[in-house]
Amino acid sequence: MHVLAAALLAGALAGPAAASPVLVQTKPGAAPILRAAGARPVASRLAIWRTTSPALVGRLRRAGLLRAAEPERSLARADDASPFSDPLIDREWWLTAIGVRDLVPPVPGRPVTIIDSGVDVAHEEFAGRPDVTVLNSQSTFARDEDHGTEVSSVVGAPANGVGVVGIYPQAVLRLWDASPFRSITNSDAIAGLQAATAAGPSVINLSWGSPQRDPLLEQAVEAAVRGGSVLVAAAGNERQGGNPVIYPAALPHVLTVGASDQSNALASFSSSSPGLDLIAPGVAIPVADPRVSPTSYSLADGTSFSAPIVAGAAAWIWTARPDLDAGQLFELIRRSARDLGPPGWDADTGFGLLDVPAALAAPAPIRDPQEPNDDVAEVKPGVTFSTGGLLLTAPGRLAGRLDGFDDPRDVYRLRVPAHRRLRVTATASDGRPVAVSIWNAGTTSVLGTSRNRVSAGPKTAAVAGGRTGFSGYVALTVPAGRRTDYVLTVTATAAP
Ligand SMILES: [Ca+2]
Ligand SMILES: [Ca+2]
Ligand SMILES: [Ca+2]
């Protein structure tokens, strides 16, 4: 690269009419000479200038002020060629199904964290691949530990002339091995969620689950949401096996992903769920296998492979639309899905099939920045989080969003000053009432009880501060199956 650039530069400077622009990087003290010669600053912090004068380059070099020089040149637009060209590409039917076969994924951007069984980082798809961070050591010592390598290849196998390509071939990958002893455990998954959260916001892929709820794992999920990450989880493959609800996929604020097949219909095994958000290809997905497997690549079935397609797509869209926050990205991916089955959301296909071009183009949803705030524990300081949720104490307005399954309640702290009365009113964008209730500070939950509730109404509630002030909570609620944006208005009156 450096040699080539130098050769080009020599050629550019050799001709008699060598007026081709040149980029120079200079040492301190060169600025007056550059300015006097009409050079234009390109990047002042890097001391890079642009000049069309070969004589100036010579002068700088002789004065010992030249650090580097190279010709200005056109860079190949990244959309000149599809990266989707590795040998197994023709088996990767799913690239067409979600509309990316003719798109060019972005350069490295928002990371994808894969909490799974560990990745064979010496596999030809990962050895030497840039932008792979191992958050802990990766082990794939047993045949049944092929899962993490397979899932990771679906996200980010590079366009390197071998094997497969992932949905986002240049994705920044962060890897956590949650199965140091062969099976993925809740303790290693919790540790992985904490490590992922500590590393900063990312899209976190969870291609595993259990029908059992796990309160400690749920707290780790809440903390990851609070940390600004988007969580994506596999809905499960148990449709013929009793169809149990699978966690963490079915938790609020987790994108729950089912599987579609080659005809863009629901895969026969894909679990339905009241929390299902969308489906993505999950049948006959070409994947990379760790070296302990008999082959380097295989075809895999399962929602385990649908989730990383959505996770990689989410990171791609987030990279392309960096102004979105995690909650907006979450909502955008659901809303832009291509509706399947009965019109609107359904428990088999959610909002429909992942549609990357639609998600890249759709208008940004409103922000809903206080999540997770679904109950008192998440907003009272020192319970789930050391810092509390948003405190309402004066007249004003704020916007938010509710979803009967993925965001069933928005709880805010409320402080009413002495001798004032605050009224809280919710106005929903769908025109229907949003239940508003006010609870005193003694309540530990706004679920399943009316004890400690001091005011409630279909749209509005109010409380007076009395002589010493009132501290408590406001809760906004919608039932399952309903989704709406809202504006919450706080008004104040004197209350002697
Ligand atoms: Ca490859
Ligand atoms: Ca909300
Ligand atoms: Ca909420």
Side-chain angles (χ1 to χ4, degrees):
M1 174 64 201
H2 285 127
V3 172
L4 181 61
L8 285 171
L9 181 60
L13 298 182
S20 305
V22 177
L23 300 183
V24 294
Q25 186 177 44
T26 57
K27 296 178 182 171
I33 301 171
L34 289 155
R35 269 195 214 96
R40 174 166 70 76
V42 171
S44 55
R45 288 191 185 174
L46 296 172
I48 297 173
W49 297 67
R50 179 181 185 274
T51 177
T52 51
S53 162
L56 174 61
V57 180
R59 237 176 100 199
L60 290 166
R61 183 178 287 121
R62 285 191 299 276
L65 293 171
L66 188 68
R67 213 185 276 279
E70 63 182 48
E72 183 176 74
R73 55 206 149 99
S74 299
L75 302 176
R77 282 175 44 164
D79 57 1
D80 281 346
S82 169
F84 294 124
S85 60
D86 283 3
L88 292 171
I89 194 74
D90 291 335
R91 309 289 295 273
E92 297 193 82
W93 63 270
W94 59 270
L95 292 164
T96 305
I98 58 169
V100 303
R101 188 70 164 85
D102 300 320
L103 300 185
V104 174
V107 296
R110 298 285 183 151
V112 180
T113 306
I114 296 150
I115 299 176
D116 211 291
S117 67
V119 174
D120 179 4
V121 290
H123 187 284
E124 63 181 359
E125 294 287 17
F126 296 101
R129 184 194 187 281
D131 297 303
V132 176
T133 300
V134 290
L135 298 174
N136 65 348
S137 70
Q138 307 287 302
S139 68
T140 52
F141 52 77
R143 284 272 303 274
D144 55 5
E145 287 215 298
D146 51 7
H147 195 259
T149 305
E150 294 174 347
V151 166
S152 299
S153 72
V154 173
V155 175
N160 59 351
V162 298
V164 295
V165 288
I167 179 166
Y168 184 176
Q170 294 188 65
V172 174
L173 300 179
R174 295 177 182 163
L175 308 176
W176 177 270
D177 186 344
S179 74
F181 305 106
R182 296 198 176 202
S183 75
I184 298 174
T185 64
N186 57 348
S187 55
D188 289 303
I190 289 168
L193 283 162
Q194 175 169 289
T197 305
S202 68
V203 179
I204 302 176
N205 189 76
L206 310 172
S207 283
W208 40 264
S210 160
Q212 267 185 303
R213 293 199 68 152
D214 187 323
L216 297 181
L217 180 60
E218 290 177 19
Q219 281 183 37
V221 166
E222 288 169 11
V225 173
R226 174 94 163 208
S229 288
V230 174
L231 277 74
V232 180
N237 307 328
E238 301 296 323
R239 190 177 189 78
Q240 332 290 354
N243 216 9
V245 173
I246 298 293
Y247 301 93
L251 295 176
H253 310 293
V254 174
L255 268 180
T256 310
V257 184
S260 60
D261 65 14
Q262 294 94 324
S263 40
N264 295 339
L266 186 69
S268 58
F269 54 78
S270 183
S271 296
S272 66
S273 169
L276 198 77
D277 289 300
L278 73 168
I279 62 175
V283 173
I285 307 297
V287 294
D289 277 303
R291 287 161 306 151
V292 291
S293 306
T295 58
S296 298
Y297 299 91
S298 61
L299 294 179
D301 293 344
T303 55
S304 274
F305 308 99
S306 311
I309 289 174
V310 171
W316 167 341
I317 294 156
W318 213 356
T319 299
R321 304 184 65 175
D323 292 341
L324 298 175
D325 68 21
Q328 289 174 298
L329 181 66
F330 180 100
E331 187 66 16
L332 177 68
I333 287 172
R334 306 195 310 166
R335 281 191 194 172
S336 60
R338 184 145 54 88
D339 195 15
L340 297 174
W345 181 90
D346 59 84
D348 291 327
T349 64
F351 291 93
L353 180 65
L354 172 68
D355 187 335
V356 174
L360 287 167
I366 66 155
R367 288 182 195 275
D368 184 29
Q370 303 297 328
E371 300 299 337
N373 62 355
D374 304 338
D375 207 345
V376 172
E378 293 170 336
V379 302
K380 183 178 181 178
V383 184
T384 302
F385 306 112
S386 56
T387 53
L390 185 69
L391 176 67
L392 309 177
T393 190
R397 292 153 65 87
L398 70 97
R401 177 169 49 251
L402 287 162
D403 175 294
F405 194 88
D406 265 303
D407 181 11
R409 287 166 303 284
D410 281 0
V411 178
Y412 301 99
R413 292 190 293 148
L414 179 68
R415 167 79 192 160
V416 184
H419 310 300
R420 303 286 280 175
R421 180 181 177 82
L422 291 189
R423 172 167 293 281
V424 180
T425 304
T427 307
S429 60
D430 67 3
R432 294 158 58 193
V434 167
V436 180
S437 53
I438 294 176
W439 304 70
N440 69 30
T443 192
T444 54
S445 174
V446 299
L447 270 178
T449 175
S450 58
R451 217 173 132 240
N452 299 315
R453 193 174 70 191
V454 299
S455 175
K459 284 186 65 169
T460 182
V463 66
R467 281 189 303 159
T468 56
F470 169 91
S471 288
Y473 305 95
V474 175
L476 277 58
T477 310
V478 294
R482 182 167 165 215
R483 281 161 292 279
T484 187
D485 298 344
Y486 65 83
V487 172
L488 182 154
T489 309
V490 180
T491 53
T493 50

